């Protein structure tokens, strides 16, 4: 279920839940655009990925981190990189790797940007959340 980014506002120095409001495809209706959850329809091995690019307000961020939560608990974290100072942007990618999910388990994405408020890049090439059953 690849999902396009939105213009989500991100408050500096705080964990922000990301809710991707546009489904590019959502086979099996596994993504809820109201709460951002990818929900496993059946037990199996899944892989979930989050790629995020943000534009910071007024300068560079001090850091950026992406998170994946399983049933509300943080389980995967990745630190990202800062782009050129002129663009004031940063990006991060975090992947779950293969993991077991029971039917009804859900994954949600989140982000943390240090030192600057930011806005999530809206282009699906820049920001997306996806999940798939692999076995």
């Amino acid at each position: 279920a690849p999902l396009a980014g939105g213009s989500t506002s991100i408050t500096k120095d705080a964990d922000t839940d990301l809710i991707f409001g546009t489904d590019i495809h959502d086979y099996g209706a596994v993504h809820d655009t109201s709460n951002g959850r990818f929900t496993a329809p059946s037990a199996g091995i899944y892989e979930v990925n989050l790629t995020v690019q943000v534009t910071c307000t007024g300068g560079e961020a001090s850091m950026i981190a992406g998170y994946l939560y399983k049933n509300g608990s943080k389980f995967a974290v990745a630190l990202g990189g800062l782009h050129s100072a002129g663009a004031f942007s940063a990006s991060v990618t975090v992947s779950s790797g293969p993991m077991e999910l029971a039917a009804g388990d859900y994954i949600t994405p989140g982000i943390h940007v240090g030192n600057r408020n930011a806005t999530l890049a809206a282009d699906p090439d820049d920001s997306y959340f996806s999940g798939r059953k692999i076995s």
Side-chain angles (χ1 to χ4, degrees):
L3 311 162
S7 299
T8 302
S9 294
I10 299 158
T11 302
K12 66 180 179 179
D13 301 323
D15 290 353
T16 301
D17 293 336
L18 296 176
I19 298 176
F20 289 84
T22 303
D23 288 329
I24 295 173
H25 21 250
D26 185 9
Y27 303 115
V30 297
H31 177 254
D32 187 332
T33 57
S34 69
N35 62 19
R37 292 180 177 178
F38 169 90
T39 303
S42 60
I45 306 297
Y46 289 79
E47 186 171 58
V48 180
N49 298 290
L50 170 68
T51 293
V52 172
Q53 180 173 315
V54 299
T55 301
C56 300
T57 304
E60 289 184 39
S62 59
M63 60 80 74
I64 183 170
Y67 304 118
L68 294 174
Y69 297 84
K70 178 181 175 185
N71 299 329
S73 296
K74 195 180 294 182
F75 78 96
V77 179
L79 296 177
L82 305 177
H83 297 213
S84 69
F88 301 138
S89 61
S91 61
V92 63
T93 296
V94 58
S95 175
S96 68
M99 66 176 172
E100 287 188 49
L101 293 179
D105 281 348
Y106 62 91
I107 307 297
T108 50
I111 191 172
H112 185 106
V113 178
N115 194 47
R116 301 286 178 189
N117 292 328
T119 304
L120 183 66
D123 190 318
D125 292 338
D126 296 328
S127 299
Y128 65 87
F129 174 54
S130 67
R132 63 191 177 114
K133 187 173 183 178
I134 56 177
S135 158

